[in-house]
Amino acid sequence: VKNSSGAISARLSDEDAYLYNGAEKIDLNVTFNDKKLTTSAAEVISADDAKTGKRVTLLIAAVAATKPYAPGSYSGIVNMTFDAVPPVAR
């Protein structure tokens, strides 16, 4: 990731992420640079790291289940939005 003019924020675009097979839903946690994404934008890369550029981890994992997941074919889409955060005037 790189942004020469400030930090970078990220959020889930529409709703929480999940997998679905038509009957069963598996909720997903999405983390980017070790920061959990929600539908609210939050800074995920500082201005200093964004200026020089940095490789970071994107992790999409199932939320721990209280019962075993039902077998089957699941599909899902994880929509994320990344924005340049304008620098703060000093």
Side-chain angles (χ1 to χ4, degrees):
V1 292
K2 187 171 183 168
N3 176 18
S4 59
S5 61
I8 299 171
S9 69
R11 65 180 172 85
L12 295 175
S13 298
D14 297 320
E15 56 187 58
D16 292 334
Y18 61 88
L19 296 173
Y20 189 65
N21 72 357
E24 301 285 329
K25 181 175 146 182
I26 299 174
D27 291 318
L28 301 172
N29 283 325
V30 180
T31 58
F32 184 81
N33 195 28
D34 298 322
K35 295 175 175 81
K36 185 177 178 185
L37 300 186
T38 66
T39 54
S40 298
E43 184 178 297
V44 293
I45 305 291
S46 70
D48 289 338
D49 285 341
K51 182 177 271 187
T52 58
K54 185 176 183 181
R55 293 190 126 196
V56 299
T57 302
L58 168 65
L59 178 64
I60 301 171
V63 172
T66 56
K67 62 180 181 158
Y69 297 120
S73 295
Y74 289 79
S75 62
I77 297 173
V78 178
N79 290 310
M80 297 173 282
T81 300
F82 295 88
D83 288 311
V85 176
V88 176
R90 297 178 196 219

